[in-house]
């Protein structure tokens, strides 16, 4: 079955440093979504990427979808304490409707 | 107004008991899901319903039985609870069943089996 791998599992950064999490799929994806889960909270949709090589920005967050549509990344510039949480990628395989979540990257920001 | 609401938020129960978690969405979505999040935060889909019909039934023990009385509700009943069932269970919904539809999650139900 489809697998979505996400690294790193944990990341501790000093406030103001940058952060990146990477997502890789064993199969070509139709689209990839990113979610953020704050501690004690529920996953909240951030963005969806559909096109090969697509790049989208939301303020300090930059999302990329690889040319082969098998990988994606989320980059946060100059992290803030409000960025703390677990970031999940979730992909839908080509020809499938099922959304498969990566294991998430837990981000800690040290003030 | 809460878009996807599930009750209860916390559930502590003894092994062997039967319990239910309720979920309702007021978004008018066609598709609803149940996810299980274990202690390592891994989100795994359990079931997916589209217009009250079961679409996805992952490898889940048959002690877990979803029920969708209408497309706005998807309840989860668990028989003979085991210690390993302890987790956070999230209900979610999406507008349609298909590619490119974001999922809206409920607040979660933290189930603890003792």
């Amino acid at each position: 079955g489809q697998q979505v791998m996400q690294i790193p599992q944990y990341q501790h950064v000093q406030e103001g440093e940058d952060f990146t999490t990477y997502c890789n799929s064993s199969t070509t994806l139709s689209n990839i979504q990113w979610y953020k889960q704050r501690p004690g909270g529920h996953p909240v949709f951030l963005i969806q990427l559909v096109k090969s090589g697509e790049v989208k920005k939301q303020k300090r967050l930059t999302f990329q979808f690889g040319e082969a549509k098998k990988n994606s990344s989320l980059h946060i510039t100059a992290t803030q304490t409000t960025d703390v949480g677990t970031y999940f990628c979730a992909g839908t395989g080509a020809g499938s409707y099922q959304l498969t979540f990566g294991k998430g990257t837990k981000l800690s920001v040290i003030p | 107004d809460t878009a996807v609401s599930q009750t209860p938020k916390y559930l502590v129960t003894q092994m062997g008991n039967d319990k239910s978690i309720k979920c309702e969405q007021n978004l008018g979505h066609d598709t609803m899901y149940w996810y299980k999040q274990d202690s390592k935060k891994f989100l795994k889909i359990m079931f997916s319903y589209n217009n009250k019909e079961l679409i996805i039934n992952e490898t889940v023990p048959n002690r877990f039985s979803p029920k969708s009385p209408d497309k706005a509700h998807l309840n989860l009943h668990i028989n003979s609870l085991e210690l390993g069932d302890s987790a956070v269970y999230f209900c979610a919904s999406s507008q349609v069943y298909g590619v490119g539809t974001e999922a809206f999650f409920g607040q979660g139900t933290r189930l603890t089996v003792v």
Side-chain angles (χ1 to χ4, degrees):
Chain A
Q2 180 185 318
Q3 289 188 332
V4 175
M5 286 138 305
Q6 194 173 348
I7 56 168
Q9 192 174 354
Y10 302 96
Q11 184 84 57
H12 304 273
V13 299
Q14 204 75 36
E15 190 173 16
E17 290 181 342
D18 292 354
F19 158 77
T20 304
T21 172
Y22 301 91
C23 193
N24 287 287
S25 169
S26 55
T27 59
T28 302
L29 299 170
S30 299
N31 71 337
I32 194 148
Q33 298 178 358
W34 286 91
Y35 291 78
K36 177 183 177 181
Q37 184 177 16
R38 294 181 188 275
H42 60 282
V44 174
F45 176 82
L46 293 177
I47 208 159
Q48 175 173 270
L49 304 170
V50 179
K51 298 177 185 173
S52 167
E54 190 170 11
V55 178
K56 286 189 176 180
K57 292 191 175 187
Q58 287 180 351
K59 296 183 181 178
R60 296 178 294 104
L61 277 61
T62 302
F63 304 84
Q64 291 188 324
F65 201 8
E67 294 289 342
K69 300 182 75 173
K70 282 188 170 185
N71 57 72
S72 181
S73 65
L74 157 59
H75 179 83
I76 303 178
T77 304
T79 54
Q80 301 174 358
T81 54
T82 52
D83 295 326
V84 162
T86 302
Y87 292 84
F88 293 95
C89 62
T92 305
S96 167
Y97 289 139
Q98 186 171 331
L99 193 64
T100 301
F101 279 80
K103 292 193 174 184
T105 296
K106 185 175 180 180
L107 172 64
S108 301
V109 178
I110 306 160
Chain B
D1 273 350
T2 304
V4 181
S5 60
Q6 50 184 113
T7 55
K9 191 171 180 181
Y10 299 98
L11 185 52
V12 181
T13 188
Q14 290 188 324
M15 274 173 45
N17 284 350
D18 302 339
K19 289 293 177 187
S20 292
I21 307 172
K22 295 186 175 181
C23 180
E24 176 182 4
Q25 54 96 2
N26 62 6
L27 297 167
H29 288 172
D30 285 345
T31 307
M32 296 185 73
Y33 313 85
W34 276 108
Y35 284 87
K36 179 180 179 181
Q37 187 171 50
D38 61 24
S39 57
K40 294 185 178 178
K41 299 291 187 186
F42 182 40
L43 263 173
K44 185 169 170 52
I45 190 163
M46 300 173 70
F47 303 101
S48 173
Y49 268 72
N50 186 50
N51 271 318
K52 302 191 301 174
E53 289 191 19
L54 181 65
I55 300 296
I56 294 173
N57 182 359
E58 289 296 309
T59 308
V60 175
N62 57 15
R63 298 181 294 104
F64 291 79
S65 53
K67 282 189 173 54
S68 183
D70 55 62
K71 74 174 193 178
H73 295 84
L74 180 62
N75 304 323
L76 183 65
H77 188 76
I78 315 170
N79 288 327
S80 303
L81 278 155
E82 301 177 358
L83 293 176
D85 298 331
S86 295
V88 180
Y89 292 84
F90 286 102
C91 176
S93 72
S94 61
Q95 190 166 12
V96 293
Y97 182 65
V99 177
T101 53
E102 72 176 270
F104 291 79
F105 284 80
Q107 301 294 317
T109 296
R110 182 174 294 276
L111 171 65
T112 303
V113 182
V114 296

